[in-house]
Amino acid sequence: MFIVVKYGDNKQQLFNPKCLAQALLANIRERCGCSEDDVLDLSDEDGNIKRISKRLDEDPEIVFRDRESLILVKEIKMISSEGAEERLYMPLLDQLEDDDSFISEFPGIGDL
């Protein structure tokens, strides 16, 4: 089993998800050149966040399909006008910055 992670300027990398989510995210962070401070996750091509960053001690393989194409996303924490913490997700695939149909799938991302 493997997954394809898309990121940056139309780049993609293959990953083996048969490990703990923490190890998978560390490998993605290293190979995709992300900062240690970034909270990363993955989205399918319909904008559904996989939320593997919330399951660090679990096997993320159960949330993926074999050969699934995923988009690397960064979690952004914001405080709403009511004072509540909100989590928004920004795709880290450059070609999606202007794709309104994809961006609209991410809750609240259009408000950034």
Side-chain angles (χ1 to χ4, degrees):
M1 175 180 204
F2 67 86
I3 57 174
V4 178
V5 175
K6 298 177 180 182
Y7 68 100
D9 189 16
N10 208 21
K11 296 178 184 178
Q12 59 184 19
Q13 295 264 356
L14 292 177
F15 291 91
N16 180 347
K18 291 187 176 192
C19 59
L20 292 178
Q22 184 173 4
L24 177 61
L25 286 173
N27 191 250
I28 290 171
R29 180 183 315 283
E30 180 182 333
R31 291 176 50 199
C32 296
C34 297
S35 166
E36 287 292 323
D37 297 331
D38 291 340
V39 178
L40 301 176
D41 216 311
L42 297 168
S43 163
D44 65 19
E45 293 182 331
D46 292 325
N48 301 307
I49 304 297
K50 297 294 185 170
R51 301 195 192 288
I52 63 169
S53 63
K54 306 300 178 232
R55 306 176 177 128
L56 294 178
D57 294 326
E58 296 178 22
D59 180 355
E61 178 185 14
I62 61 173
V63 299
F64 302 128
R65 293 185 324 271
D66 189 24
R67 303 175 190 214
E68 185 173 13
S69 289
L70 300 159
I71 296 163
L72 185 60
V73 297
K74 179 169 95 172
E75 181 180 286
I76 301 168
K77 293 181 183 177
M78 301 185 74
I79 305 298
S80 71
S81 57
E82 294 83 33
E85 185 177 278
E86 295 181 16
R87 287 184 170 84
L88 307 177
Y89 295 89
M90 180 175 71
L92 298 179
L93 180 59
D94 295 344
Q95 70 189 43
L96 294 177
E97 290 175 346
D98 298 322
D99 186 343
D100 292 336
S101 64
F102 183 83
I103 296 298
S104 68
E105 297 296 324
F106 285 86
I109 200 73
D111 300 333
L112 290 179

